[in-house]
């Protein structure tokens, strides 16, 4: 089984007037992808590959700074608990494995008080990340409207609980990721670049740089490759949306493996993790009681404890 590629051109970012018959086709295609695989590549989203490349270029400049220059932006040093730099070896997305071999910078709030690298140190860094955050927000809300329609529900059934994205009462996160070269002698037994996990929130948008490594767990129980396809956005269902839809949509586990022995190449990606507003209470949208109600922020905090350790 391969991850399907769906053309999103009729509802790409910037287009709002869509004929019903075209919208219905898009609804069917996304529903099929998310019920059978949990992942889909979208092409013609309105987000150009040049935009993605520019974000990755300036992000790499941050990651190549010495660690002492990145420490002031360390995740946990901010009022926004998830904002900031995550050094390699900090996260353990699969608690049964050694720590992940990747580093990241999280953008969780667009509030002016949030700390960023200075304009002198990284010209254009903040402006570009904020701009791309907003582009991803727009696309992700469009996808949610399609998903609501695909279930025969009001198109705003999901978006109505995502009204604070980019604000202080919503945990949606734009994340730039860098996987440094892997030296075989320093790798622990069973260690990978990113351990097996499912995402926590509503949906995730992912754009990958060149290279292999990302794999998705299919319903067959086998992992399938999810390679970089330039010009596309890879979108997956996350755990809260699976719960919200009473398991109609699948939140599939995924991982990033190590490169082949002797391969010293780096890897980059950018991801947008869409979460409901902090105080949103998530219940099954079809009225069943398959899962008890849960507040979005409470659920997220429990998952963070698994990734960063329980205190």
């Amino acid at each position: 089984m391969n991850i399907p590629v769906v053309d999103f051109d009729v509802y790409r970012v910037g287009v709002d007037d869509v004929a019903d018959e075209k919208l219905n086709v898009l609804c069917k295609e996304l529903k099929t992808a998310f019920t059978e695989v949990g992942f889909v590549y979208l092409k013609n989203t309105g987000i150009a590959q040049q935009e993605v490349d520019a974000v990755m270029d300036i992000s790499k400049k941050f990651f190549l700074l010495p660690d002492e220059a990145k420490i002031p932006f360390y995740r946990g040093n901010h009022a926004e608990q998830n904002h900031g730099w995550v050094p390699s070896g900090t996260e353990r997305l699969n608690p049964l494995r050694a720590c992940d071999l990747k580093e990241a910078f999280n953008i969780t709030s667009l509030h002016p008080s949030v700390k960023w690298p200075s304009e002198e140190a990284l010209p254009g860094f903040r402006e570009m990340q904020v701009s791309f955050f907003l582009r991803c927000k727009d696309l992700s809300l469009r996808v949610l409207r399609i998903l609501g329609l695909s279930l025969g529900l009001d198109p705003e059934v999901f978006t109505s609980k995502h009204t604070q994205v980019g604000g202080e009462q919503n945990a949606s996160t734009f994340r730039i990721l860098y996987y440094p070269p892997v030296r075989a002698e320093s790798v622990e037994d069973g260690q990978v670049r990113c351990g097996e996990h499912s995402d926590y929130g509503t949906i995730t948008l992912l754009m990958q740089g060149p290279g292999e490594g990302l794999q998705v767990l299919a319903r067959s129980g086998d992992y399938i490759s999810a390679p970089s396809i330039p010009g596309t956005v890879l979108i997956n269902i996350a755990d809260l949306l699976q719960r919200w839809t009473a398991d109609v949509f699948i939140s599939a586990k995924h991982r990033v493996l190590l490169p082949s022995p002797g391969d010293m190449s780096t890897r980059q990606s950018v991801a947008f993790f869409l979460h409901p507003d902090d105080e949103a209470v998530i219940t099954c949208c079809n009225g069943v009681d398959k899962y008890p109600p849960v507040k979005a922020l409470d659920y997220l905090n429990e998952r963070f404890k698994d990734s960063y350790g329980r205190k």
Side-chain angles (χ1 to χ4, degrees), residues 25-39:
V25 170
L26 190 55
C27 286
K28 290 177 183 177
E29 290 178 324
L30 288 191
K31 185 177 182 181
T32 298
F34 288 140
T35 54
E36 295 183 358
V37 185
F39 276 71

Side-chain angles (χ1 to χ4, degrees), residues 227-262:
S228 171
I229 302 179
T232 67
V233 179
L234 182 61
I235 300 186
N236 64 280
I237 300 297
D239 293 345
L240 273 178
L241 190 55
Q242 175 170 329
R243 184 182 182 119
W244 210 336
T245 61
D247 297 338
V248 173
F249 294 144
I250 303 166
S251 177
K253 286 189 175 182
H254 44 286
R255 64 188 182 186
V256 179
L257 298 182
L258 297 178
S260 302

Side-chain angles (χ1 to χ4, degrees), residues 137-152:
K137 172 186 173 181
D138 190 343
L139 177 58
S140 62
L141 294 179
R142 287 168 180 269
V143 172
L144 285 196
R145 292 188 190 100
I146 297 297
L147 296 187
L149 286 171
S150 77
L151 297 175

Side-chain angles (χ1 to χ4, degrees), residues 1-288:
M1 175 181 288
N2 293 321
I3 298 170
V5 179
V6 170
D7 193 337
F8 203 72
D9 186 61
V10 297
Y11 197 38
R12 68 186 183 276
V13 173
V15 173
D16 294 312
D17 187 15
V18 187
D20 287 346
E21 62 270 19
K22 292 183 178 179
L23 209 56
N24 289 337
V25 170
L26 190 55
C27 286
K28 290 177 183 177
E29 290 178 324
L30 288 191
K31 185 177 182 181
T32 298
F34 288 140
T35 54
E36 295 183 358
V37 185
F39 276 71
V40 68
Y41 290 99
L42 292 188
K43 65 179 183 179
N44 299 320
T45 61
I47 296 177
Q49 184 62 43
Q50 293 92 326
E51 296 178 72
V52 178
D53 293 342
V55 170
M56 287 193 182
D57 286 346
I58 201 166
S59 299
K60 190 168 186 177
K61 291 178 182 177
F62 172 81
F63 291 121
L64 294 181
L65 292 172
D67 284 358
E68 54 267 27
K70 293 181 280 189
I71 287 173
F73 312 105
Y74 181 74
R75 177 191 181 275
N77 288 349
H78 310 271
E80 299 292 334
Q81 68 159 357
N82 196 38
H83 181 88
W85 176 53
V86 181
S88 184
T90 301
E91 288 183 338
R92 190 192 307 261
L93 291 185
N94 180 348
L96 301 180
R97 287 189 183 270
C99 290
D100 296 344
L101 296 174
K102 68 177 188 298
E103 61 179 296
F105 189 92
N106 299 337
I107 297 100
T108 60
S109 172
L110 304 184
H111 193 275
S113 65
V114 172
K115 193 170 185 180
W116 293 82
S118 70
E119 187 66 17
E120 293 75 22
L122 282 177
F125 181 81
R126 176 175 183 166
E127 179 182 5
M128 189 171 293
Q129 307 296 348
V130 168
S131 174
F132 205 76
F133 183 110
L134 295 173
R135 299 280 281 162
C136 291
K137 172 186 173 181
D138 190 343
L139 177 58
S140 62
L141 294 179
R142 287 168 180 269
V143 172
L144 285 196
R145 292 188 190 100
I146 297 297
L147 296 187
L149 286 171
S150 77
L151 297 175
L153 302 172
D154 187 297
E156 306 302 329
V157 65
F158 300 127
T159 61
S160 63
K161 296 198 175 184
H162 296 80
T163 63
Q164 304 296 317
V165 176
E168 295 181 316
Q169 301 301 314
N170 182 289
S172 295
T173 300
F174 177 59
R175 179 171 235 213
I176 55 176
L177 293 131
Y178 178 70
Y179 300 80
V182 175
R183 302 186 183 281
E185 64 274 14
S186 63
V187 175
E188 297 181 38
D189 185 40
Q191 195 169 26
V192 293
R193 277 180 156 172
C194 182
E196 297 83 355
H197 68 285
S198 54
D199 294 340
Y200 310 152
T202 309
I203 60 173
T204 301
L205 280 58
L206 180 72
M207 289 135 279
Q208 307 179 74
E212 301 287 332
L214 178 63
Q215 294 185 330
V216 172
L217 183 63
R219 280 196 157 182
S220 64
D222 299 319
Y223 275 93
I224 59 175
S225 178
S228 171
I229 302 179
T232 67
V233 179
L234 182 61
I235 300 186
N236 64 280
I237 300 297
D239 293 345
L240 273 178
L241 190 55
Q242 175 170 329
R243 184 182 182 119
W244 210 336
T245 61
D247 297 338
V248 173
F249 294 144
I250 303 166
S251 177
K253 286 189 175 182
H254 44 286
R255 64 188 182 186
V256 179
L257 298 182
L258 297 178
S260 302
D263 182 350
M264 297 297 290
S265 62
T266 61
R267 172 185 168 84
Q268 278 187 268
S269 61
V270 295
F272 184 75
F273 299 92
L274 183 71
H275 288 266
D277 298 334
D278 291 350
E279 298 301 313
V281 176
I282 306 305
T283 59
C284 296
C285 62
N286 60 359
V288 303

